[in-house]
Amino acid sequence: MPEPAHVPSADATQQRLLQAAGEVFAEKGYHAATVREICARAGVHNIAAINYYFRDKETLYAETLRFAARSPLYENLTTEWPATAKPAEKLRWFIGLLVEKIVLACRDRPLWHMQLMMRELTQPSPIGERIAQEFIRPVYETLWAILREALPPGLSERKLHLISFSIVGQCMYHRLARHVIRIMVGEDEQATYDAETLTDHITEFSCRALGLDWKRPGPKPGTKRVSTRGGRK
Amino acid sequence: MPEPAHVPSADATQQRLLQAAGEVFAEKGYHAATVREICARAGVHNIAAINYYFRDKETLYAETLRFAARSPLYENLTTEWPATAKPAEKLRWFIGLLVEKIVLACRDRPLWHMQLMMRELTQPSPIGERIAQEFIRPVYETLWAILREALPPGLSERKLHLISFSIVGQCMYHRLARHVIRIMVGEDEQATYDAETLTDHITEFSCRALGLDWKRPGPKPGTKRVSTRGGRK
DNA sequence: GGGCGATTGAAACGGTTGTCTAAAACATTT
DNA sequence: AAATGTTTTAGACAACCGTTTCAATCGCCC
């Protein structure tokens, strides 16, 4: 018998538990999630496994959070720009990254990663507060670097913060309030809010607000170019 | 004896339970909240009181939500405008209302009202889904009316929605992600984000994005006017 | 004052939670 | 084959959850 064939689970049960715990924690939150459901979803017939591999439910949660925080966002966050890159292009790149990796994070990785992080960011628990801090700080520092270059130097740091919150707020709203949006515009229209649509809109809105001139990268002949305001008289 | 003097609780215990339940539900969520803590905070020495006045914990939650939804936002939401009112002024009024009543709702009414509604909007439960719908719809319809008047008529409804989410998203981010903001700028600076500051900034940002000309209402000599971009050459 | 509905009190219920214990099964090495 | 360390299993544990029960108490009208 060449194959070991003792394989109801080829991978370690510890990783299956982590995966299942991530899903349940993301869906129901820390309190509403139960160790029995986590074990059931992991295919582990034993609830003591959680206390065996991890110490508590609490450390399991912390471990799950630490796993979710290791996002591919970081790998893309540092980019070498050509000297000719305009500020508006960098801003569009950042907004696109935020939209793609956070707002619509459902294709390249299990969706519970961002679900869990959003939960921790909007309602931080003492368990994962530090993890959440380390998760978002580089995001904002990247945006601040872009804005400092794009905007006049006399700008106060306070105003810079407010501008960054205006930009990030536009992106995050489509995730944090996605249920509200679904109710307001319907499920069908919300489904058409893909990454490119949102990135284009938010970039255009923000660049106009900041006085940066920006042109849509691809002419995209299919979509009718609709200007929010005609050229000033 | 002119005073009844049987007054460990002058008001009905039912209302004290509703008040206490609102606080606990807002702080910890439905699952993490316990009937014992609600009774303790209400000063009721009996946990059966919840099942006596309300049927379940569930209907207590629904009742609490219904109470919170009766917001003073509605009273202010319909306003008769003078014929000379410019679109930018109406937009500023709407943003100010949103910022004051929702984002910084902590002075004119117990803060748990909006805390609870935000919880229900970001993570709707089957219990209060309908209540949440009726709560937010008039808000958006008011904004849509303002935008339709302010923007050129050729604008698609889809683009109108995206613009409204950009505006509301900026406002709501300061509440939904207030913990993130506190971590990023510090508690001291966040404390300076009062209603006027946020309203001014978001209105200026949005009006610039939409091409609406807007001037700060009061010159406010104390604050240094900082322009996000000099006049175009 | 006696009767009566409304309210409160204390205790207990069955069910579920997270955790622990000890033996069984397994894998690996001696 | 025996021994050893690791993983799984089954079961029980105390603690807590929301709910129920039933008697005690209160306010009020006849």
Side-chain angles (χ1 to χ4, degrees):
Chain A
M1 202 180 282
E3 286 197 11
H6 58 79
V7 284
S9 58
D11 48 339
T13 53
Q14 185 171 5
Q15 286 212 352
R16 281 188 298 140
L17 277 175
L18 201 73
Q19 166 80 15
E23 297 176 7
V24 180
F25 280 139
E27 288 178 12
K28 315 201 166 181
Y30 177 76
H31 282 281
T34 68
V35 293
R36 282 169 172 86
E37 182 180 354
I38 291 173
C39 289
R41 194 176 300 203
V44 175
H45 301 270
N46 179 15
I47 56 170
I50 283 184
N51 303 100
Y52 178 74
Y53 284 106
F54 313 89
R55 188 151 31 90
D56 314 284
K57 178 188 181 185
E58 203 170 292
T59 54
L60 169 62
Y61 179 73
E63 214 65 42
T64 307
L65 239 166
R66 203 185 323 275
F67 188 81
R70 230 174 286 128
S71 170
L73 190 68
Y74 286 109
E75 307 156 11
N76 307 88
L77 209 50
T78 57
T79 302
E80 293 299 322
W81 290 99
T84 62
K86 290 164 63 177
E89 295 175 7
K90 298 184 184 179
L91 189 59
R92 195 202 124 88
W93 164 84
F94 175 84
I95 292 173
L97 205 65
L98 218 60
V99 166
E100 195 175 344
K101 298 294 179 186
I102 293 186
V103 179
L104 305 173
C106 43
R107 84 188 62 174
D108 54 339
R109 66 188 348 237
L111 50 83
W112 63 265
H113 291 203
M114 279 303 159
Q115 273 183 25
L116 205 60
M117 290 308 296
M118 288 303 115
R119 226 174 239 284
E120 196 61 38
L121 292 181
T122 54
Q123 322 166 24
S125 69
I127 304 172
E129 192 167 7
R130 202 177 46 81
I131 298 174
Q133 286 186 25
E134 297 169 358
F135 180 75
I136 49 166
R137 185 164 291 278
V139 177
Y140 271 100
E141 283 175 352
T142 303
L143 176 58
W144 287 336
I146 295 174
L147 288 179
R148 245 188 290 268
E149 184 190 343
L151 300 179
L155 214 60
S156 73
E157 192 158 321
R158 186 181 142 87
K159 186 70 179 176
L160 196 82
H161 290 161
L162 287 175
I163 291 173
S164 73
F165 295 144
S166 280
I167 294 173
V168 177
Q170 289 180 75
C171 301
M172 294 306 235
Y173 191 70
H174 282 270
R175 159 156 282 271
L176 297 177
R178 60 192 186 282
H179 298 111
V180 174
I181 290 177
R182 177 171 43 80
I183 291 172
M184 287 297 109
V185 307
E187 206 159 353
D188 298 337
E189 180 171 327
Q190 190 182 24
T192 68
Y193 294 168
D194 57 355
E196 191 183 357
T197 300
L198 293 182
T199 303
D200 279 344
H201 164 73
I202 296 172
T203 305
E204 180 187 357
F205 193 93
S206 302
C207 284
R208 279 175 159 270
L210 300 177
L212 306 174
D213 54 336
W214 172 75
K215 302 173 198 65
R216 251 203 190 81
K220 201 118 189 281
T223 52
K224 200 194 309 183
R225 182 75 158 83
V226 62
S227 145
T228 51
R229 190 70 169 187
R232 58 187 60 191
K233 174 70 176 302
Chain B
M1 201 181 283
E3 284 197 15
H6 58 81
V7 283
S9 58
D11 48 339
T13 53
Q14 185 171 3
Q15 287 212 352
R16 280 187 298 142
L17 278 175
L18 201 74
Q19 165 80 16
E23 297 176 8
V24 179
F25 281 138
E27 288 177 12
K28 315 203 165 179
Y30 178 76
H31 282 283
T34 68
V35 293
R36 284 171 171 84
E37 182 181 354
I38 291 173
C39 289
R41 195 177 299 204
V44 175
H45 302 269
N46 179 16
I47 56 171
I50 284 184
N51 304 100
Y52 178 75
Y53 285 105
F54 313 88
R55 189 154 27 92
D56 313 287
K57 179 189 181 185
E58 203 169 292
T59 53
L60 169 61
Y61 179 73
E63 213 64 41
T64 307
L65 240 166
R66 203 186 321 275
F67 188 81
R70 231 175 285 128
S71 171
L73 191 68
Y74 285 109
E75 308 156 10
N76 307 89
L77 209 51
T78 57
T79 301
E80 292 299 324
W81 290 99
T84 63
K86 292 164 63 178
E89 294 175 8
K90 297 184 184 179
L91 189 60
R92 194 203 125 86
W93 164 83
F94 175 84
I95 292 173
L97 205 65
L98 219 61
V99 166
E100 195 175 343
K101 297 293 179 187
I102 294 185
V103 178
L104 306 173
C106 44
R107 83 188 63 172
D108 54 340
R109 64 188 350 236
L111 49 84
W112 64 264
H113 290 203
M114 280 303 160
Q115 273 184 24
L116 204 61
M117 289 309 296
M118 288 304 115
R119 227 176 238 285
E120 196 60 39
L121 291 180
T122 54
Q123 322 167 26
S125 69
I127 305 173
E129 193 167 7
R130 202 177 47 82
I131 298 175
Q133 285 186 25
E134 297 168 357
F135 179 75
I136 49 168
R137 183 165 291 277
V139 177
Y140 271 99
E141 283 176 351
T142 303
L143 176 58
W144 287 337
I146 295 174
L147 289 178
R148 244 188 292 268
E149 182 189 344
L151 300 178
L155 213 62
S156 73
E157 192 158 322
R158 185 181 141 87
K159 185 71 179 174
L160 196 81
H161 291 161
L162 287 175
I163 291 173
S164 72
F165 295 144
S166 281
I167 294 173
V168 177
Q170 290 181 74
C171 300
M172 294 305 235
Y173 191 69
H174 283 269
R175 158 156 284 270
L176 298 177
R178 61 192 186 281
H179 299 111
V180 174
I181 291 178
R182 177 171 43 80
I183 290 172
M184 286 298 110
V185 307
E187 204 159 354
D188 297 338
E189 180 171 328
Q190 191 182 23
T192 68
Y193 293 168
D194 57 354
E196 191 183 358
T197 300
L198 293 181
T199 304
D200 279 344
H201 164 74
I202 296 172
T203 305
E204 180 187 356
F205 193 94
S206 302
C207 284
R208 280 175 159 269
L210 299 177
L212 306 175
D213 54 337
W214 172 74
K215 303 174 197 65
R216 251 204 189 81
K220 204 132 187 263
T223 52
K224 201 193 307 183
R225 181 75 159 82
V226 61
S227 145
T228 52
R229 189 68 170 187
R232 58 185 60 190
K233 176 71 176 299

